[in-house]
Amino acid sequence: KRQKNRRGLSPKMSLEASIVCLDDSEYMRNGDYSPTRLEAQQDAINFVCGSKLQANPESTVGVMTMAGSQREVLTTLTTDMGKILTAVHNVRPSGTLDLFSGIQIAQLVLKHRQPKHLKQRIIAFVGSPVEATEKELTKLGAKLKKSNISVDIISFGEEEVNSEKLEAFIKAVNKDDTSHLVTVPSGVRVLSDALMTSDMFGSAGGGGASFNDFPGGVDPSLDPEMALAMRVSLEEERERARKAGEGDGAPAAAEGTATAPESDMDADLRAAMAMSMGGDPGAMEVEGGAQDVSAMTEEEMMARALAMSMAGVPDSGSAAMETEGGGGAADGSADAEQMLQDPSFLSDVLAGLEGVDPEDAEIREAVSDLASKVDDAGKKKDEGGDGGGK
């Protein structure tokens, strides 16, 4: 039963660190695959890497070459598709293929994968004659199997010459049907089309994702913008349906909200808002009656406070001063007038100002004029008040 469940996992859920080995030998100049073997291989590598990264956001992919004077790691394990595309595009054919040492170097690259729980996979493109013997490849396959490394071989161009060696290698490395040999005959002009329908991407062991798994049957590697638009559209539709479902149960949700306990921060905020608007923390006055603050949202409270402040609603302090008959304001005004009439007070104030001489004749004259004006204004106010009382 456990075996069945493991095999029934969706390919999209596999989590892997994959290293793609590129054949960049002189044989890649041949034009039996459109437009050349190298460019057809580059297109297929873009498809493979894109499928691996889209299968799981934590999966990583690296790229290396297997021909020339030395094997070169173009990109270490990464999730950046841009780095991979740039590295693959800059490859030029040179030298002969060394599959044996190329796979050994790929094994070393996988040892440095992060995190360590990622499954290991080597994907090798072979379009040139393999010089290693069948015995060497079989021994290498057994070593990879012991290290739990899966291998996918894409054989093209020289498939008839390499078939026996590659079949023996895959047989030695295969474990639980997680390794594959994909042979692409010369009649197939586009390598990536053959890979889409191969066992590499049609089984759970392959760890890839077929374009049929994406919305609308769009191939994200060929048309990423359309695939992204389809995904966004589906997400928006799901969100709209979810909100519509919540709208049907709104009354019940409102009742639950009224009885649910508030957090300490919300309670303090509501109390402060109510007190700042001159009301009781539990409720505040509105047109037509009292409104419970605890039943209002933060947005409603802010809008209400703004409306009340613009309407000139007095706060509790000013209301208390007015209810006491305005005595406090009158007393404050009288004290101010008395202080302005006192020449000694004004002299002390002027003496504290830098660069001002209180003994200057002009300043003394200005102080006496100010005192007399304040005195006259007070007398007129008293006369007006008496007249009004009469």
Side-chain angles (χ1 to χ4, degrees):
K1 186 176 180 181
R2 290 181 180 176
Q3 185 72 13
K4 181 179 178 181
N5 289 340
R6 283 200 299 270
R7 289 181 178 275
L9 290 174
S10 169
K12 295 186 291 184
M13 297 305 294
S14 60
L15 186 60
E16 290 184 338
S18 306
I19 181 75
V20 180
C21 302
L22 184 148
D23 184 351
D24 59 329
S25 69
E26 293 289 348
Y27 280 82
M28 296 302 103
R29 299 184 187 276
N30 294 345
D32 48 349
Y33 294 85
S34 179
T36 63
R37 289 188 185 182
L38 179 62
E39 293 184 42
Q41 185 181 187
Q42 289 171 336
D43 179 61
I45 289 175
N46 294 344
F47 165 72
V48 170
C49 294
S51 298
K52 293 291 182 183
L53 295 178
Q54 290 171 352
N56 195 300
E58 296 184 25
S59 294
T60 56
V61 180
V63 180
M64 63 169 290
T65 61
M66 297 189 295
S69 58
Q70 61 181 7
R71 268 44 64 202
E72 180 182 0
V73 178
L74 301 178
T75 61
T76 55
L77 295 171
T78 180
T79 58
D80 189 347
M81 191 63 189
K83 285 184 179 180
I84 296 172
L85 293 174
T86 302
V88 172
H89 178 73
N90 294 330
V91 173
R92 295 293 178 267
S94 64
T96 57
L97 172 68
D98 191 347
L99 178 65
F100 185 81
S101 62
I103 290 181
Q104 285 181 318
I105 295 173
Q107 182 183 5
L108 294 176
V109 173
L110 289 174
K111 282 187 177 180
H112 296 86
R113 68 192 184 282
Q114 291 293 336
K116 291 295 184 181
H117 68 269
L118 295 176
K119 295 180 181 179
Q120 304 173 82
R121 181 174 295 275
I122 297 174
I123 303 171
F125 285 81
V126 179
S128 308
V130 177
E131 296 182 353
T133 64
E134 183 176 329
K135 184 178 179 180
E136 290 175 334
L137 292 175
T138 302
K139 187 176 179 180
L140 177 61
K143 184 179 177 181
L144 295 173
K145 181 178 180 180
K146 188 176 180 180
S147 301
N148 293 320
I149 299 178
S150 302
V151 181
D152 292 327
I153 299 288
I154 298 97
S155 177
F156 64 102
E158 307 295 329
E159 64 275 7
E160 294 182 1
V161 177
N162 297 327
S163 60
E164 291 185 6
K165 294 180 180 179
L166 296 180
E167 286 173 2
F169 173 69
I170 291 297
K171 184 178 179 180
V173 75
N174 196 16
K175 182 179 180 181
D176 296 332
D177 197 28
T178 57
S179 298
H180 309 89
L181 173 62
V182 179
T183 301
V184 183
S186 301
V188 178
R189 302 290 292 175
V190 183
L191 281 178
S192 56
D193 288 349
L195 295 180
M196 288 180 188
T197 57
S198 67
D199 291 339
M200 278 181 60
F201 298 96
S203 66
S210 169
F211 67 91
N212 292 324
D213 297 328
F214 291 86
V218 179
D219 183 0
S221 64
L222 300 179
D223 196 350
E225 294 181 357
M226 178 61 73
L228 178 61
M230 292 292 291
R231 265 186 192 162
V232 171
S233 178
L234 283 177
E235 287 296 329
E236 290 178 350
E237 185 61 31
R238 289 194 195 103
E239 184 68 15
R240 194 179 298 112
R242 185 183 65 80
K243 288 182 178 180
E246 290 179 355
D248 295 339
E255 292 177 5
T257 304
T259 57
E262 294 181 325
S263 66
D264 294 340
M265 185 179 293
D266 290 343
D268 293 343
L269 178 61
R270 294 180 189 280
M273 290 290 295
M275 292 178 67
S276 67
M277 289 184 284
D280 181 35
M284 58 185 172
E285 295 296 323
V286 296
E287 295 180 4
Q291 181 174 358
D292 187 6
V293 179
S294 61
M296 297 176 65
T297 64
E298 291 182 16
E299 290 78 7
E300 292 173 343
M301 291 175 63
M302 294 295 291
R304 180 62 183 166
L306 181 60
M308 293 179 70
S309 64
M310 292 179 67
V313 176
D315 60 12
S316 56
S318 61
M321 291 174 65
E322 290 177 1
T323 54
E324 291 175 0
D331 292 343
S333 178
D335 291 343
E337 290 177 1
Q338 220 171 19
M339 291 167 66
L340 290 174
Q341 291 176 12
D342 187 0
S344 61
F345 170 75
L346 293 175
S347 298
D348 291 340
V349 172
L350 294 172
L353 299 176
E354 186 177 354
V356 178
D357 183 11
E359 302 299 329
D360 186 85
E362 293 182 359
I363 292 178
R364 284 192 172 198
E365 184 179 354
V367 169
S368 60
D369 289 345
L370 176 62
S372 62
K373 287 180 182 179
V374 171
D375 190 19
D376 293 342
K379 288 180 181 179
K380 289 180 181 179
K381 184 176 180 182
D382 291 340
E383 291 175 359
D386 293 342
K390 293 177 182 178

